[in-house]
Amino acid sequence: MKKRVLIATGGGDCPGLNAVIRAITLRASQEKNWEVIGSINAFDGILNEPNEILVLDDKKVGGIHIRGGTIIGTTNKGGPFAWPIKNPDGTWGSADRSDEMIRRLQFLGVDAVINIGGDGSQSISQRFYEKGLNIIGVPKTIDNDLSATDFTFGFQTAVQEATTAVDKLVTTAASHNRVLILEVMGRYAGWIALHSAVAGGAHVCLIPEIPYDITKVVERIYQRFDKGRGFAIIVVAEGAKPKEGDMYYEESSETGYKNVRLGGVATKLMKELKEGGLQTDMRETVLGHLQRGGTPIAYDRVLATQFGVRAFEMVLEGKFGQMVAYRHPNIVSVPFNEAIAHYNFVDPSSDLVKTARGVGICMGD
Ligand code: F6P
């Protein structure tokens, strides 16, 4: 009987997931005694009754590297350690179904699991590894907030989308003598904002790692106006916060969704700018999920393909309990506990922040 590797994609989707799935499958097909299956919607496919499994082969993965999303689906709710269950009184609680999942994997003849996901998914990987599961992680997130790897795939595509948005906003802002605010994703890290602000030539960039002083932002914008004429582009990360204040978020009411929902900082910033004395016309754009959907750019396809091939080779080598990572110029493996120990935040004294300041971008401080 052939050996089986199971792939799951968990957490928010990200351009490049399909390229990883394809790479694992194509590399595995070079080994005579291995076959690949995918669990639908993260590990839900194993826990659902009946199971939802997709057999993956060369034909199924043909051409998928250029497609966004994930052909096996994903979820950022619940999971095997906190499976949502409805209490008799109608409220929601959770159950630990991790042992059951391991039994189900044994029943399905799964010899190894490759879990493609961000920090939340890799914490799940670590917990499964501690329970004896042969599991390997592949890091994904547009936020680029995992410190174990130089880059996560999906990040550069998100930056490209955000940069395209800045480019478009410039022409309309200039035509109307307006200040246009672009809100981008990134959760608690300012990577997408910083990269797209530099690439697009924004005038202000606000990130969570550098709390802003609204008077400094107003000052910088007025430098760009002469007798009411001029324009300015502000790129604001969804997690940006003022010096005295917190980031803007809402608790989610979706069942099993543990994260707070960031988003809305652009509108809040516009109000603060008005209160801070800015009298120019202003509008805001929230890029939202446009930066997560669609075709991955070439860089992300290459990185995702490297991760996929290496992840399967780690299965062959029995390197379980580790996550594949990129440390220029190599693809390496890092133990889970090390991989999830620290976030990757923008260092305010880094060269990229200096570069941004060097071309006149106000970082809000
Ligand atoms: O972590 C990726 C990310 O896109 C964040 O940048 C964003 O805050 C969050 O996911 C949005 O999540 P959801 O798709 O659940 O709204």
Side-chain angles (χ1 to χ4, degrees), residues 43-44 47 78-83 95-99 101 124 128:
F43 292 121
D44 291 12
L47 291 168
F81 289 93
W83 188 265
D96 182 349
R97 295 184 66 189
S98 56
D99 289 335
M101 195 182 99
I124 291 176
F128 270 125

Side-chain angles (χ1 to χ4, degrees), residues 12 76 141-143 185-187 238 257 261-262 289 292:
N76 51 12
T141 165
I142 60 163
D143 303 337
M185 284 183 169
R187 291 200 77 75
E238 61 182 0
Y257 190 93
R261 285 197 61 193
L262 297 173
H289 290 77
R292 237 171 64 186

Side-chain angles (χ1 to χ4, degrees), residues 52-325:
E52 292 174 284
I53 299 286
L54 186 69
V55 176
L56 295 163
D57 54 25
D58 294 19
K59 225 171 164 188
K60 285 254 176 55
V61 302
I64 65 167
H65 55 296
I66 67 170
R67 277 171 57 186
T70 159
I71 61 163
I72 52 176
T74 185
T75 176
N76 51 12
K77 294 177 184 167
F81 289 93
W83 188 265
I85 43 160
K86 206 164 198 172
N87 298 318
D89 64 358
T91 59
W92 285 89
S94 64
D96 182 349
R97 295 184 66 189
S98 56
D99 289 335
E100 181 193 343
M101 195 182 99
I102 291 177
R103 281 196 304 277
R104 282 172 178 256
L105 289 174
Q106 282 162 353
F107 181 76
L108 287 167
V110 171
D111 297 280
V113 173
I114 298 178
N115 191 16
I116 312 170
D119 57 333
S121 303
Q122 301 316 335
S123 314
I124 291 176
S125 301
Q126 163 72 11
R127 293 175 76 182
F128 270 125
Y129 178 63
E130 284 164 7
K131 282 178 175 274
L133 191 70
N134 289 340
I135 187 163
I136 278 162
V138 176
K140 71 85 226 183
T141 165
I142 60 163
D143 303 337
N144 199 39
D145 58 0
L146 289 169
S147 62
T149 182
D150 289 357
F151 286 115
T152 50
F153 65 85
F155 167 65
Q156 298 289 358
T157 302
V159 168
Q160 190 59 51
E161 284 300 314
T163 303
T164 302
V166 173
D167 295 347
K168 289 183 177 176
L169 293 176
V170 165
T171 59
T172 169
S175 306
H176 282 267
N177 297 294
R178 278 176 171 163
V179 173
L180 291 185
I181 304 171
L182 176 69
E183 176 180 317
V184 298
M185 284 183 169
R187 291 200 77 75
Y188 309 121
W191 293 108
I192 300 175
L194 181 57
H195 278 249
S196 58
V198 171
H203 310 102
V204 178
C205 175
L206 306 178
I207 60 174
E209 295 86 344
I210 306 178
Y212 61 84
D213 174 346
I214 204 74
T215 56
K216 297 280 169 51
V217 180
V218 172
E219 241 169 60
R220 174 71 182 103
I221 291 172
Y222 270 134
Q223 283 171 6
R224 303 250 332 136
F225 279 80
D226 182 25
K227 297 189 187 94
R229 296 222 172 143
F231 76 96
I233 303 293
I234 303 177
V235 179
V236 60
E238 61 182 0
K241 55 183 177 227
K243 274 204 169 119
E244 279 98 34
D246 202 1
M247 46 186 72
Y248 187 79
Y249 64 87
E250 280 174 17
E251 300 292 340
S252 170
S253 57
E254 293 170 7
T255 309
Y257 190 93
K258 277 189 282 176
N259 296 330
V260 295
R261 285 197 61 193
L262 297 173
V265 68
T267 310
K268 181 176 160 264
L269 181 67
M270 205 155 82
K271 203 165 156 259
E272 289 170 355
L273 288 168
K274 264 191 200 134
E275 287 164 3
L278 192 68
Q279 285 171 355
T280 62
D281 288 352
M282 281 184 271
R283 296 287 189 273
E284 84 276 45
T285 301
V286 180
L287 197 53
H289 290 77
L290 286 175
Q291 66 213 288
R292 237 171 64 186
T295 303
I297 62 166
Y299 182 95
D300 284 332
R301 294 185 208 179
V302 173
L303 187 59
T305 303
Q306 285 189 285
F307 279 177
V309 167
R310 184 73 197 112
F312 183 74
E313 285 173 351
M314 282 162 65
V315 169
L316 293 179
E317 291 160 15
K319 275 196 163 178
F320 300 113
Q322 312 218 16
M323 188 186 84
V324 58

